[in-house]
Amino acid sequence: MEDYRAAAEDARFQQLSGSIERVIYANEENGYAVCDLGTDDNDLVTIQGTLPYIAEGDGVTVYGRWVHNPKYGRQFSVERYERVLPADVNAILRYLSSRAIKGIGPKTAQKIVEEFGEDTFDVMENHPDWLAHIPGISRKKAEEISQDFKQKSGIRSAMMFFRDFFGAALTMRIYKRFGSSAVDRAKQNPYILCDEVEGIGFEKADRMAHDLGLSTDSPARLSSGIVYVLHANALQNGHVCLPEDKLLAAAGTLLGGTPEQLRGALDILLYSGRLKTYSLDGATYVYEAYAYDNEQYIATKLRLLDRLCAAVDAPDVHAFIDREERQNGIAYASLQRKAMFDALQCGVMILTGGPGTGKTTVVRALLNIFNSMDLRVALTAPTGRAAKRLSESTLSEAKTIHRLLEMEYGDAGDERGAHFRRDETNLLEEDVIIIDEASMVGNGLMSSLLKAIKPGARVIIIGDADQLPSVEAGNVLRDLIDSECFSTVCLTEIFRQAQQSLIVTNAHAINRGEMPRLDVKNNDFFFLRRDHDRDIVLTVADLYKNRLPRTYGDMARTGIQVISPSRKGEGGTENLNVLLQEGLNPPREDKTQYRFRDKIFREGDRVMQIRNNYDIAWERLDGSTGMGVFNGDIGEIEAINHAGECMEIRFDDRHVVYDFTLLEELEHAYAITVHKSQGSEYPIVIIPLYRAPYMLLTRHLFYTAVTRAQSMVILVGREDVARTMVENHRQSMRYTGLAHRLREMR
């Protein structure tokens, strides 16, 4: 079938045909290769791209563009390709002699081709036992040769079939997931791809199904579309579930189909157990099964922990607190004492409060008390930056939740993929778990953490409930507070030292719905009025590049972070990152760069990982290794290697090698959104106040941005935008059932 979309794609690219003369480099894991191609025009050119299992002697047609590699010169970058097996005896001999098939070298290739001639490939695929008649080939080796040949034939068939729908990199993922049955599985049900293969969403699978002639009202399409609506709302809006009527309405808009057809598809999904429902206030809410199970587990385990943990006798608690006051020479505020008392009396305790209210002081005192009781304590936070800040403020080791749970990535054959070693079967030894920045923890991560906490352990949950909710689906901290099932202490008093900081007092003013002080010129909170968007971004760039480094030196050179309400618009992160890259890290002859789609990555660039990837290996300076780079991690590009199709990035103390196929997971990070800044603090924060979409100009977003600063906040822009944000108390509503489940158990 001639596919019009593939033809349109090919028209955008140049085309070369010929045979592979030499394989210079090949990575079997991701399919990337560099080869010399002898073209039909008798030229020898270097091609590079995703070319899985390519071998000398292969006949290929490649589509792509000419690029210039600073080190290796002119190369042809392959976007997609077609490959055919060699047909004549000489070409077959050359192909097998290149060791394209495991177990066959030049001498064995000569024997096989002399015996079977042009039927060699048919014998290898369909009659492997015939190979065992050749001296030097045992039955076991013959079977291994056949299996390897079939595997490479399978990827060849997959490349040919999927070329009309996906690029080579995605096809490689499909083949690694389904093996030789990939094409048959996709033909039977294209929607299985969006369920099983990362990077293939419903829209791509739907286009493929349409081109294959599948009916738009097929049960497979309707079922997959309903799951897609749930999943997309979890990723984009943080909903753990959706009301049934809203789910069916959204699915109808996306899929068409009659209400009866959609209802039938939903019933099938519920019957199969893929989706589950929960009744709340007379309405029915629909969950993906894993989301339902996570939410139920969080409620059940927290209630269990709260019930099982032994309370410390009240007189002993007061004695512990009094001792801390004497040893530290301070008098704790009444709410701070209550927080410490409840933390020692209750199995689960929640501590909230804004900046400058003394949460860290409480944590330090509790650590001393727990240590004096010989209790083992784990300090943890959801991100590396948050864990590092917690460690510095308490002078105790703090780990990310992923590191505490000992996340690891299974082998290729391990169906679990990324998983935590610590779980119900391998519990944490610690007696007390203190979770900081809990507003950032979604349902999935909280469920995983609770599974690893032993019954009888004490859990202290700390966070600022007025900050933005987690990127992951759920609203755990707010739900726990709203449930009123656990001891909750909200610190409100701003202490004297913090009162001297306009960052602190203005943050609290914003949170109360009051305008921050914008007229003070000699503190740590500044407002630079600019009325036009272009002037705003030029001032931000000048502050970052010139004015702040000139005044504050090293702190400004390494500690500035621009935080914008939005990605879009002149003051959004997309435009600011282009402008700031030009000013801070312009192109130079000694700096290698690489263009990926509309972005140019350059050595020295500041970049951010924008989704969790558990499959990336890293190494620390001390030689320790691990897996996983996570959403919001910020690093610097240290080296770009065109020949190896990779770049080296330093994330704090972790060194990571990124394959070019992973660059869709990276963005520049000179400017980041408020959502991406959660859990982090920066010495200097610059916030552009420009006319972003109203739904983003909210009080919670403004408050979160301001509280990311340690030493200085600079607002650049319009006072009326600041006023709009303060007055817009719009909160992003999230559909969850956690608070209700907890109240039901009470």
Side-chain angles (χ1 to χ4, degrees), residues 13-30:
F13 300 127
Q14 292 174 275
Q15 173 183 330
L16 297 175
S17 296
S19 63
I20 300 299
E21 297 294 324
R22 181 168 66 112
V23 178
I24 301 170
Y25 170 82
N27 184 325
E28 286 195 13
E29 189 65 28
N30 59 28

Side-chain angles (χ1 to χ4, degrees), residues 471-509:
V471 174
E472 185 188 11
N475 202 358
V476 175
L477 181 61
R478 173 52 60 191
D479 284 346
L480 297 185
I481 295 170
D482 289 348
S483 75
E484 299 181 347
C485 289
F486 307 106
S487 167
T488 301
V489 178
C490 179
L491 302 179
T492 55
E493 180 182 348
I494 305 175
F495 290 93
R496 188 186 314 173
Q497 184 177 356
Q499 288 176 355
Q500 299 171 4
S501 165
L502 265 184
I503 295 175
V504 173
T505 57
N506 275 344
H508 283 273

Side-chain angles (χ1 to χ4, degrees), residues 249-515:
T253 301
L254 173 71
L255 303 166
T258 66
E260 293 76 16
Q261 289 172 328
L262 293 167
R263 178 74 248 182
L266 177 57
D267 286 342
I268 292 171
L269 289 165
L270 293 171
Y271 181 77
S272 69
R274 190 170 176 190
L275 302 184
K276 295 184 179 182
T277 58
Y278 180 67
S279 295
L280 171 59
D281 297 331
T284 298
Y285 288 78
V286 183
Y287 294 72
E288 290 189 75
Y290 76 89
Y292 180 99
D293 294 342
N294 282 343
E295 189 174 86
Q296 183 64 36
Y297 187 87
I298 293 169
T300 303
K301 184 63 175 282
L302 282 173
R303 295 294 291 170
L304 178 70
L305 290 169
D306 197 39
R307 190 171 70 249
L308 292 183
C309 186
V312 180
D313 291 339
D316 291 339
V317 175
H318 290 301
F320 283 136
I321 298 172
D322 292 342
R323 184 192 64 196
E324 286 302 307
E325 286 186 327
R326 290 193 303 272
Q327 290 182 349
N328 293 298
I330 59 176
Y332 297 120
S334 59
L335 283 176
Q336 287 180 314
R337 288 187 68 98
K338 175 172 172 50
M340 296 177 208
F341 185 88
D342 288 2
L344 289 161
Q345 286 273 294
C346 305
V348 176
M349 182 264 179
I350 301 165
L351 176 63
T352 72
T357 57
K359 296 192 298 293
T360 300
T361 300
V362 171
V363 174
R364 288 198 200 106
L366 286 172
L367 285 173
N368 290 336
I369 293 170
F370 290 136
N371 287 334
S372 71
M373 298 170 64
D374 291 327
L375 296 177
R376 291 166 296 184
V377 182
L379 286 171
T380 189
T383 68
R385 286 178 174 269
K388 182 178 180 182
R389 184 159 51 86
L390 179 61
S391 182
E392 291 170 348
S393 63
T394 61
L395 301 179
S396 301
E397 182 186 18
K399 298 178 180 179
T400 63
I401 296 175
H402 292 84
R403 187 177 169 207
L404 178 68
L405 299 181
E406 299 176 22
M407 192 200 73
E408 62 183 12
Y409 199 87
D411 298 330
D414 188 341
E415 293 182 356
R416 293 184 300 165
H419 59 277
F420 297 116
R421 289 189 63 245
R422 296 290 185 170
D423 56 20
E424 304 100 319
T425 64
N426 185 22
L427 296 170
L428 295 166
E429 293 88 4
E430 285 82 2
D431 308 295
V432 182
I433 311 296
I434 299 177
I435 309 164
D436 197 20
E437 292 288 355
S439 64
M440 295 181 63
V441 181
N443 278 28
L445 190 56
M446 179 59 80
S447 175
S448 295
L449 176 56
L450 290 173
K451 286 174 183 175
I453 297 176
K454 65 183 181 182
R458 196 178 305 275
V459 176
I460 299 168
I461 300 170
I462 304 169
D464 187 343
D466 293 314
Q467 290 185 18
L468 294 171
S470 59
V471 174
E472 185 188 11
N475 202 358
V476 175
L477 181 61
R478 173 52 60 191
D479 284 346
L480 297 185
I481 295 170
D482 289 348
S483 75
E484 299 181 347
C485 289
F486 307 106
S487 167
T488 301
V489 178
C490 179
L491 302 179
T492 55
E493 180 182 348
I494 305 175
F495 290 93
R496 188 186 314 173
Q497 184 177 356
Q499 288 176 355
Q500 299 171 4
S501 165
L502 265 184
I503 295 175
V504 173
T505 57
N506 275 344
H508 283 273
I510 291 167
N511 202 30
R512 293 191 301 268
E514 302 168 5
M515 277 292 287

Side-chain angles (χ1 to χ4, degrees), residues 241-257:
C241 54
L242 287 177
E244 185 178 271
D245 57 343
K246 291 183 180 293
L247 170 61
L248 290 174
T253 301
L254 173 71
L255 303 166

Side-chain angles (χ1 to χ4, degrees), residues 53 73 147 199 604 734:
Y53 300 128
Q147 287 299 321
R734 292 191 168 192

